[in-house]
Amino acid sequence: MKATHGGRARYHHGDLRNALIEAAIELAALGGPEKVVLREAARTVGVSPTAAYRHFGGHGDLLEAVKVRGQQALADSMAEAVAALPGLDDPGEEAERTAKAIGRGYLRFALDQPGLYRTAFCRTPLDEEDDFNGLQAPDRPEFAAFVLLSEALDALVAAGRMRPENRPGAEAAAWSSVHGLALLILDGPLARLPGEERDAVIEGTLATLVAGLTR
Amino acid sequence: MKATHGGRARYHHGDLRNALIEAAIELAALGGPEKVVLREAARTVGVSPTAAYRHFGGHGDLLEAVKVRGQQALADSMAEAVAALPGLDDPGEEAERTAKAIGRGYLRFALDQPGLYRTAFCRTPLDEEDDFNGLQAPDRPEFAAFVLLSEALDALVAAGRMRPENRPGAEAAAWSSVHGLALLILDGPLARLPGEERDAVIEGTLATLVAGLTR
DNA sequence: GATAAATGTTGACGCCGTTAACAAGAGTGT
DNA sequence: ACACTCTTGTTAACGGCGTCAACATTTATC
C-alpha cells in the first residue's frame, strides 16, 4: 500500500522499473553519477530498497540504465542543434556549419546538464565486464551521437572540404575535442571561467578543430 | 603497537599522513578515484580508520591529496616526453614536434596509469566548495601541465608556425583534444580499440590538432 | 477457485565515512 | 626526575549504503 494511481493505493506499482530510472535520472541530473543511490531512488518512488532487485541486477544496472538515457539525451541535443540549422546553397559551407553545430549541441548539453552528461560517460561495472570477456558493445543505440558525427564528417568530405585521406579517425579527433573541452570546463582547470570567456574558448576550440579537419 | 620501524613496534607512526597518501595512491592506481577508501588505506598502513582524521579532514581531503599527486605525475610524464626530444635546427619543426611530444606524454600517462589519471581529474568536494565561495584555485602547482603546454604554444608562435591572433585560447583547444581522447579511450566509445588502431587514432588526432593550431 | 509466478516487504549482514570519548607517547618547564 | 600538556593514536558507536534470504501479497494461469 505505497504507490497510488488514480487515487487508489496499490501493492504493485505497475511500472516500477521506469519509475526507479526516472528517480535515478533526477539524482544524476542533480549531482552526477555518484549521487545515483539505489535506496534514495526507491525512497522517492515510495518503495522498499529491495524491490529494485526485481528489476535490476543491482546498483550497477540502475546506473547503467541512467547512463544510457543520458547518452540518448546527449544525442538528442546534438540532433536538435543540427535540425535548427538553415539549409545553405554552398554545400561546403553547410557541411562546416553542421559540424560546428554538432559541437555546440554537444557542449550545450554538457553544460546545461552536467550531472547527466557526467553520468553518460561514467565508468560502470558493465564496462569492466566487457573488458574481461573481450566483448564489443556494438548494438548500443546510445551512441547515436557517433552516427551523427560520422555523417557530418562524410558531408565534409563529399563537399570537398576535407581530404579523404584524413577521413579515417576523424570522429575520434572531433569527439575528443568537444568531450575534453566539456570536461575541462565542468571539472577541470577551465571550471571557473567567466561565461563570456568560456564562450570564446568554445568558439576558438571549434574553430581550431574544424581548421584541423579541413586542413 | 601497530606500525614497526627497524623491528620495533611503536604507537606513533611518525609519518602517517604520507603513509596514508601512499596507500591511497596505490588504491587509486588500481581502480580509480572511487576505489580510494579511507578505511582500506588505514588498514594497509596498519592503523585504525579514525587515526586518519588527525591528518585529514576526512575522505575528501585524502582523495584531494591523491588527486594532486596524480596531477604532478601527469605533468612529470609530459615534461619527460619533452626532455627526451632531440634539439633541432629548424625552430618551427622543433616547436611542432615539442607540441606533439607533450600530447604523447600526456596520453602515455593516461593510458599507462588510468586509475591515477582519472583521479587527477576526478570531482572532489573541494571543487564544489570553490564553486560556492567563488574562489579561484590559482596557486596550485598541480597543473604544471598547463604551464608546459603554454610554453610549447608560445614557441609555436615565436617560430612563426602559429598566427598570434590564434594564440588566445589555444591551450584550451590543445588540452581538450588530448584530454578528451584519453577519456574516450579509457571509458568511452573508443575503449576497446585494438592497440594498433588506437595508436593510429592518437597520431591522427594529434595531427589534426596541430594542423588546426598552425592553420 | 486452486496453484504458480511475479512483485512487493521485512530483517539482517558487512562495509563505508564520521563522531565522541578515552589512552598512550612525546615534549617541556621546573 | 617528574608532572603537565599537546599530539597522535585507540575503541565504540551511529547512520547510510548495497545486498541477500525469507516471507507476503497480488496477479496470471489452468
Side-chain angles (χ1 to χ4, degrees):
Chain A
M1 232 192 304
K2 290 296 185 72
T4 67
H5 179 269
R8 299 191 34 70
R10 27 150 126 181
Y11 187 92
H12 281 28
H13 179 283
D15 192 22
L16 183 51
R17 175 167 225 275
N18 274 83
L20 285 171
I21 293 180
E22 299 288 336
I25 286 179
E26 193 59 26
L27 292 175
L30 257 51
E34 58 274 8
K35 295 286 185 186
V36 172
V37 22
L38 186 147
R39 291 179 97 112
E40 175 70 18
R43 220 173 286 133
T44 305
V45 175
V47 95
S48 86
T50 50
Y53 285 78
R54 301 293 177 195
H55 304 275
F56 300 94
H59 171 263
D61 273 23
L62 176 58
L63 182 56
E64 182 71 29
V66 177
K67 181 176 175 176
V68 170
R69 296 283 195 101
Q71 289 169 343
Q72 289 168 342
L74 169 61
D76 290 349
S77 175
M78 293 167 63
E80 194 180 316
V82 173
L85 228 55
L88 263 66
D89 286 343
D90 181 353
E93 193 62 25
E94 175 160 344
E96 269 195 28
R97 294 201 190 182
T98 300
K100 284 193 184 176
I102 287 186
R104 286 196 200 91
Y106 190 99
L107 286 161
R108 178 167 54 79
F109 180 80
L111 301 184
D112 283 359
Q113 299 282 341
L116 275 186
Y117 179 76
R118 279 196 206 98
T119 309
F121 286 93
C122 77
R123 202 161 172 72
T124 264
L126 230 163
D127 296 338
E128 295 169 30
E129 269 182 42
D130 289 358
D131 278 354
F132 283 130
N133 56 29
L135 286 178
Q136 266 283 30
D139 47 350
R140 299 192 183 182
E142 49 247 38
F143 279 127
F146 204 93
V147 176
L148 274 173
L149 178 56
S150 284
E151 291 172 355
L153 293 172
D154 286 341
L156 274 178
V157 174
R161 292 264 172 150
M162 180 171 164
R163 306 231 298 278
E165 62 264 34
N166 291 337
R167 178 65 183 80
E171 288 97 342
W175 199 335
S176 293
S177 275
V178 290
H179 185 53
L181 184 55
L183 289 176
L184 289 182
I185 292 177
L186 288 183
D187 298 335
L190 273 45
R192 270 167 281 297
L193 231 50
E196 197 175 321
E197 290 185 41
R198 161 186 301 191
D199 291 344
V201 161
I202 290 177
E203 289 306 313
T205 299
L206 287 179
T208 299
L209 168 61
V210 172
L213 290 173
T214 61
R215 82 188 95 126
Chain B
M1 229 193 301
K2 291 296 186 71
T4 66
H5 179 267
R8 297 193 35 70
R10 25 150 126 184
Y11 187 93
H12 282 29
H13 179 283
D15 193 21
L16 185 51
R17 176 168 225 273
N18 273 84
L20 286 171
I21 294 180
E22 299 287 337
I25 286 179
E26 192 59 27
L27 293 175
L30 257 49
E34 59 273 8
K35 294 287 185 185
V36 173
V37 23
L38 187 146
R39 291 180 98 112
E40 175 70 17
R43 221 172 286 135
T44 303
V45 175
V47 97
S48 85
T50 51
Y53 286 79
R54 300 292 177 194
H55 305 275
F56 301 94
H59 172 262
D61 273 22
L62 177 58
L63 182 55
E64 181 71 27
V66 178
K67 180 175 175 177
V68 170
R69 296 283 195 100
Q71 289 168 343
Q72 289 168 340
L74 169 60
D76 290 348
S77 176
M78 293 167 64
E80 194 179 316
V82 173
L85 228 56
L88 263 65
D89 287 344
D90 180 353
E93 193 60 25
E94 174 160 346
E96 271 196 27
R97 294 200 191 183
T98 301
K100 284 193 184 177
I102 287 186
R104 286 196 202 93
Y106 190 99
L107 286 162
R108 178 167 54 80
F109 180 79
L111 301 185
D112 283 359
Q113 299 282 342
L116 275 186
Y117 179 76
R118 280 195 205 98
T119 309
F121 286 93
C122 77
R123 203 163 171 70
T124 265
L126 230 164
D127 297 338
E128 294 167 30
E129 271 181 41
D130 289 356
D131 279 353
F132 284 129
N133 56 29
L135 285 178
Q136 266 282 32
D139 47 350
R140 299 193 184 182
E142 49 247 37
F143 279 128
F146 203 93
V147 176
L148 274 173
L149 177 56
S150 285
E151 291 171 356
L153 294 171
D154 286 340
L156 275 178
V157 174
R161 293 264 172 149
M162 180 171 165
R163 306 231 298 279
E165 62 264 34
N166 291 337
R167 178 66 183 80
E171 288 97 344
W175 199 335
S176 294
S177 275
V178 288
H179 185 53
L181 184 55
L183 290 176
L184 289 183
I185 291 177
L186 288 183
D187 299 336
L190 272 45
R192 268 167 281 296
L193 231 49
E196 197 176 321
E197 289 185 40
R198 161 186 300 189
D199 291 344
V201 161
I202 290 177
E203 289 306 312
T205 299
L206 287 178
T208 300
L209 168 61
V210 171
L213 290 173
T214 61
R215 81 188 96 125

